[in-house]
């Protein structure tokens, strides 16, 4: 039986787990109910399991029956502070919380991959590390797991690392897509406080109006990024939060705003880190005001290794129909803390379309929307692809090691 056929048999079981997770979403680094469900789903498999200390992570190691290297497969588990409006029968029962980014599918799909690989254990040339990660949505869960040793869990260097992420609307349901190089943007935040001197709205000349200056800064940010950065290495600055004042005829002392900042290379991210605060302070100073600008780096650019991406695309095309595997011409504007893993281990992140069958996927609600809907039917593809990537990559690493040993022996 092929890995895809076996994964289809596991589909109902994975769907049940996914819906249990969806009904009880949890946020951040501490997901006790989610961890409990994952541990129960893994029970009976020949895995070496450890749980996190500072977070409710699960790390499971499968020892292959043949000697070899190690591969890591990651699935994130946390939800979002969103009130669900999807209308599905298994909707969240926790007010203000929703699996609006599909991490429930990631978790269930990784459990499926663990099951598939455990069944093929005797043929595996090495070990597989399953990384069940909390806190992807802005809580640095990958960093915490790395600090607690997930990359060393197999007791040997990792040959590669892979992750899948579902999409509610970017590609048709069931389509696998990835690209070499930058696959998701860096995500940073700019917090600004402009300090002036309050006064009466009827006589602004006797005050120092921070609102007018803050508005000028917001506009200047957009102008600066279009003139200071190459259009082929773009950046995005979006002010999503602006607070100032109490009523129409009062000039306040301060105005504050927050912006999300996206970039697609380490070089651009560093220039933003240096340039945005300088621009903010300079404009405020030109008006005789002061400004505090804090640029906080969050997630770095997620960069797929060229060889690992090519390998992943070949593997996906051999598992699925040709029209179900795409190579993306451009990266995603989202960000990912799997980037921290790929900074240390060669690997690739892939996306799987999870729009409901027959839906207008191009106009469907996107990830993070309270109306986002992700279709269970892609679970078997997630599990099969992750399992096949691990098995083939271990086999390839073993073949390379044997060839190198044979060559060394011939020279000797």
């Amino acid at each position: 039986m092929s890995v895809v056929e076996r994964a289809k048999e596991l589909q109902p079981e994975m769907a049940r787990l996914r819906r249990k997770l969806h009904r009880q979403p949890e946020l951040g680094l501490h997901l006790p109910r989610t961890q409990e469900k994952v541990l129960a789903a893994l029970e009976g498999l020949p895995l070496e399991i450890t749980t996190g200390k500072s977070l409710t992570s699960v790390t499971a190691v499968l020892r292959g029956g043949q000697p070899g290297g190690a591969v890591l497969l990651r699935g994130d588990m946390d939800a979002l502070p969103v009130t669900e409006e999807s209308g599905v029968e298994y909707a969240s029962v926790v007010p203000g919380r929703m699996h609006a980014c599909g991490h429930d599918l990631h978790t269930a799909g990784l459990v499926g991959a663990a099951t598939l690989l455990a069944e093929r254990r005797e043929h595996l040339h090495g070990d597989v590390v399953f990384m069940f990660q909390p806190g992807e949505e802005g809580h640095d869960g990958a960093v915490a797991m790395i600090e607690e040793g997930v990359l060393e869990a197999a007791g040997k260097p990792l040959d590669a690392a892979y992750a899948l992420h579902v999409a509610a609307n970017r590609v048709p349901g069931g389509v696998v897509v990835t690209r070499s190089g930058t696959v998701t943007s860096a995500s940073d935040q700019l917090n600004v406080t402009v300090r002036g001197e309050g006064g009466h709205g009827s006589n602004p000349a006797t005050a120092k109006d921070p609102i007018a200056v803050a508005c000028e800064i917001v506009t200047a940010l957009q102008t600066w990024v279009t003139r200071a950065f190459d259009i082929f290495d773009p950046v995005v600055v979006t002010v999503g939060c602006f607070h100032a004042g109490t009523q129409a005829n009062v000039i306040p002392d301060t105005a504050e705003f927050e912006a999300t900042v996206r970039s697609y290379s380490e070089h651009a991210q560093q220039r933003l880190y240096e340039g945005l605060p300088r621009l903010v302070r300079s404009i405020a100073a030109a008006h005789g005001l002061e400004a505090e600008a804090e640029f906080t780096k969050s997630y770095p650019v997620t960069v797929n290794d060229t060889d690992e991406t090519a390998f992943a695309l070949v593997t996906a095309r051999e598992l699925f129909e040709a029209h179900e595997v795409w190579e993306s011409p451009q990266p995603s504007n989202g960000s990912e803390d799997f980037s921290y893993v790929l900074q240390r281990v060669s690997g690739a992140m892939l996306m799987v379309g999870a729009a409901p069958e027959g839906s207008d996927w191009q106009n469907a609600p996107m990830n993070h929307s309270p109306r986002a809907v992700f279709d269970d039917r892609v679970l078997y593809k997630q599990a099969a692809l992750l399992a096949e990537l691990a098995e083939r990559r271990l086999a390839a690493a073993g073949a390379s090691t044997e060839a190198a040993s044979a060559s060394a022996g011939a020279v000797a």
Side-chain angles (χ1 to χ4, degrees):
M1 182 181 295
S2 73
V3 66
V4 172
E5 291 170 336
R6 178 59 181 137
K8 287 181 177 179
E9 289 187 346
L10 295 175
Q11 171 77 17
E13 185 177 337
M14 288 187 286
R16 281 192 294 272
L17 172 59
R18 181 259 165 148
R19 294 187 178 201
K20 287 179 183 179
L21 295 168
H22 194 91
R23 287 190 181 97
Q24 293 185 315
E26 295 178 294
L27 308 178
L29 297 171
H30 301 289
L31 322 174
R33 290 182 174 180
T34 302
Q35 183 188 59
E36 181 182 347
K37 291 179 178 67
V38 169
L39 292 173
L42 297 176
E43 189 174 356
L45 298 180
L47 302 168
E48 300 171 8
I49 294 177
T50 57
T51 55
K53 297 176 182 178
S54 64
L55 72 173
T56 53
S57 60
V58 176
T59 299
V61 180
L62 177 67
R63 301 293 181 185
Q66 308 296 324
V71 168
L72 180 142
L73 303 177
R74 182 273 228 161
D76 42 0
M77 305 190 294
D78 56 322
L80 285 159
V82 172
T83 298
E84 183 159 5
E85 300 175 12
S86 67
V88 298
E89 62 177 348
Y90 50 89
S92 170
V93 297
V94 184
R97 298 182 183 182
M98 175 189 176
H99 269 293
C101 203
H103 295 185
D104 49 339
L105 278 85
H106 303 168
T107 303
L110 188 57
V111 168
T115 304
L116 290 169
L117 289 167
E119 294 173 350
R120 305 157 77 94
R121 178 187 179 196
E122 296 305 317
H123 304 289
L124 288 180
H125 291 267
D127 307 329
V128 183
V129 179
F130 302 95
M131 177 181 178
F132 291 91
Q133 180 207 314
E136 192 280 328
E137 296 288 355
H139 298 273
D140 290 334
V143 173
M145 289 194 71
I146 290 169
E147 290 175 350
E148 292 193 0
V150 68
L151 302 185
E152 293 80 39
K156 63 185 76 170
L158 292 169
D159 295 300
Y162 305 103
L164 299 180
H165 202 299
V166 293
N169 75 336
R170 291 190 60 207
V171 292
V175 169
V176 177
V177 60
T178 191
R179 72 189 306 271
S180 177
T182 298
V183 66
T184 72
S185 70
S187 174
D188 304 311
Q189 185 162 323
L190 177 69
N191 293 345
V192 173
T193 300
V194 179
R195 300 192 181 280
E197 293 181 8
H200 200 289
S202 66
N203 196 4
T206 62
K208 293 183 179 180
D209 188 351
I211 295 179
V213 174
C215 289
E216 183 175 329
I217 292 171
V218 170
T219 301
L221 296 178
Q222 305 305 320
T223 303
W224 182 66
V225 298
T226 64
R227 294 298 179 267
F229 291 85
D230 191 322
I231 61 171
F232 297 108
D233 187 13
V235 300
V236 176
V237 180
T238 298
V239 176
C241 184
F242 194 112
H243 298 288
T246 56
Q247 66 181 50
N249 65 345
V250 176
I251 295 173
D253 283 336
T254 62
E256 302 174 353
F257 68 83
E258 300 175 5
T260 185
V261 183
R262 306 291 167 132
S263 54
Y264 299 87
S265 70
E266 291 184 9
H267 173 70
Q269 185 184 32
Q270 185 60 29
R271 287 191 61 207
L272 288 163
Y273 178 74
E274 297 168 355
L276 285 176
R278 182 176 62 242
L279 178 69
V280 168
R281 289 191 290 265
S282 297
I283 293 175
H287 290 274
L289 280 69
E290 296 181 351
E292 300 169 3
E294 181 182 6
F295 188 102
T296 304
K297 289 186 177 181
S298 184
Y299 290 168
V301 177
T302 305
V303 181
N304 279 356
D305 178 81
T306 299
D307 292 339
E308 294 297 345
T309 303
F311 163 74
L313 285 168
V314 168
T315 301
R317 286 171 179 145
E318 292 181 359
L319 285 180
F320 311 124
E321 299 292 331
H323 68 276
E324 295 178 322
V325 182
W326 296 0
E327 189 164 2
S328 176
Q330 61 192 34
S332 164
N333 292 348
S335 59
E336 248 295 339
D337 74 350
F338 191 61
S339 54
Y340 292 111
V341 174
L342 294 182
Q343 284 182 336
R344 295 161 174 81
V345 184
S346 296
M349 183 164 203
L350 301 90
M351 185 164 285
V352 182
E357 189 171 10
S359 66
D360 180 6
W361 61 269
Q362 291 175 301
N363 296 308
M366 66 188 300
N367 288 32
H368 288 217
S369 166
R371 293 168 294 281
V373 177
F374 304 88
D375 200 330
D376 289 338
R377 68 193 175 100
V378 302
L379 284 167
Y380 84 88
K381 285 193 170 182
Q382 293 174 249
L385 182 53
L386 285 172
E388 194 72 2
L389 285 171
E391 185 170 2
R392 291 192 184 195
R393 189 62 181 81
L394 289 173
S400 298
T401 301
E402 290 178 5
S405 299
S407 177
V411 172

